[in-house]
Amino acid sequence: MSAALLHRLKPAVSVASRVWSCKPPRIEPSSAAASVRLYSGLMEPRAPLFRQLFESESSTYTYLLADADSREAVLIDPVLETVDRDLQLINDLGLTLKVALNTHCHADHITGTGLLKKKVFGLKSAISKHSGAAADIQLSEGDRISFGKHCLTVRETPGHTDGCVTYVSEDEGMAFTGDALLIRGCGRTDFQQGSPHRLYESVHKKIFTLPGHCFIYPAHDYKGQTVSTVDEEKKFNPRLTKTLQEFVNIMNNLNLPKPKKIDISVPANLVCGLHDV
């Protein structure tokens, strides 16, 4: 192979060998790739194993994080219909699931927590103590969920519901924001004790204060987007870049239909943190 050809191939080989990291790769504005959103950058040996999973009916993201050494894992926002898929992945990777976490009491789907507890011996469930839902672990501001040498810290982010929380990695490189902050959007505030005032305050004080490079991983996306950053949402979120009063006016005039499964999902999610429904 010629030296010239090797030189041309070298950047591609270098990029292909990269794995996940908490810091996004830097893209210069003048680059032809500047319009491409890249989020899978460099993975450092100390970083947790990470998988983002998707449930298509409710457009829900489930997140699996694990310690590569101890193989202890946590699962964020599992969905009932995809429990078997999640358990297969956990088994394939040789992981031990320790805690199933929910970011809030969901209205558009039934959580998989109850079924997971039935299938995984010793599994603990966790949700905010303000959610009104039953769980083995009732979470408050500042609580830490450990898995191996890693942990997630709880930040209370009410507004979509009373019991919304955001889980933040120990290096503040990842934030799992539930419905409080979506990619270029946010959760509605017209049911389950929702409040646009509280949501605006939660996002600005608890999420937008994280480092700008921190990845935002929401509970849902309806446009095929998978991840954002704090800096992006502070600049481009069409709702949360407004003043408080402008935001309140937007949220009070969305006039959205209620979620199709709300009458089934909410009652089920209030109890299935302790048992299967």
Side-chain angles (χ1 to χ4, degrees):
M1 186 178 293
S2 71
L5 182 56
L6 281 172
H7 181 74
R8 290 174 60 192
L9 287 175
K10 187 175 180 181
V13 173
S14 176
V15 172
S17 67
R18 293 177 181 174
V19 283
W20 184 89
S21 164
C22 287
K23 289 190 177 182
R26 180 177 178 82
I27 301 175
E28 297 299 333
S30 58
S31 168
S35 62
V36 180
R37 297 179 65 182
L38 300 176
Y39 291 101
S40 58
L42 300 168
M43 175 150 192
E44 300 171 0
R46 66 179 181 272
L49 182 152
F50 172 69
R51 296 291 185 272
Q52 181 182 42
L53 305 163
F54 186 67
E55 191 279 315
S56 58
E57 183 180 355
S58 61
S59 297
T60 298
Y61 285 121
T62 296
Y63 299 98
L64 174 66
L65 295 99
D67 178 65
D69 297 323
S70 71
R71 314 308 288 175
E72 291 185 350
V74 297
L75 196 65
I76 300 173
D77 285 338
V79 178
L80 179 64
E81 287 80 3
T82 50
V83 162
D84 288 340
R85 175 206 63 187
D86 299 346
L87 288 177
Q88 182 64 55
L89 176 61
I90 290 166
N91 182 65
D92 288 346
L93 297 176
L95 306 176
T96 300
L97 186 60
K98 306 298 290 185
V99 186
L101 304 160
N102 279 284
T103 53
H104 62 292
C105 184
H106 304 277
D108 57 355
H109 67 273
I110 297 176
T111 177
T113 302
L115 183 56
L116 283 166
K117 283 178 62 65
K118 184 177 180 180
K119 294 192 172 198
V120 180
F121 178 77
L123 176 68
K124 300 296 184 182
S125 59
I127 198 168
S128 167
K129 70 176 185 179
H130 303 296
S131 67
D136 299 307
I137 305 169
Q138 297 282 322
L139 297 168
S140 300
E141 177 77 19
D143 284 350
R144 293 157 65 94
I145 302 293
S146 297
F147 52 105
K149 60 181 174 294
H150 302 289
C151 73
L152 296 171
T153 300
V154 175
R155 293 193 177 197
E156 294 179 346
T157 48
H160 171 60
T161 73
D162 271 354
C164 286
V165 297
T166 291
Y167 300 111
V168 181
S169 63
E170 65 264 41
D171 63 353
E172 297 190 343
M174 296 183 290
F176 301 90
T177 55
D179 286 17
L181 178 62
L182 305 179
I183 299 172
R184 308 298 191 266
C186 62
R188 61 196 294 175
T189 57
D190 58 335
F191 60 78
Q192 289 182 279
Q193 302 82 46
S195 164
H197 292 83
R198 294 187 76 193
L199 181 57
Y200 189 90
E201 180 176 304
S202 291
V203 172
H204 280 266
K205 291 186 176 181
K206 298 293 185 68
I207 301 176
F208 282 177
T209 53
L210 289 165
H213 68 261
C214 178
F215 287 126
I216 298 298
Y217 289 105
H220 303 280
D221 190 82
Y222 309 97
K223 298 179 180 179
Q225 303 168 111
T226 57
V227 65
S228 185
T229 65
V230 168
D231 269 350
E232 277 195 33
E233 296 309 310
K234 287 170 73 172
K235 293 176 183 176
F236 304 122
N237 192 294
R239 297 177 183 175
L240 288 154
T241 51
K242 306 294 187 183
T243 66
L244 172 59
Q245 193 53 56
E246 289 172 332
F247 177 77
V248 170
N249 289 337
I250 290 170
M251 300 306 293
N252 285 343
N253 290 282
L254 292 179
N255 299 316
L256 298 171
K258 73 176 185 178
K260 294 178 181 179
K261 290 187 175 182
I262 187 171
D263 294 331
I264 299 172
S265 297
V266 171
N269 290 336
L270 288 173
V271 299
C272 68
L274 294 180
H275 56 77
D276 190 16
V277 293

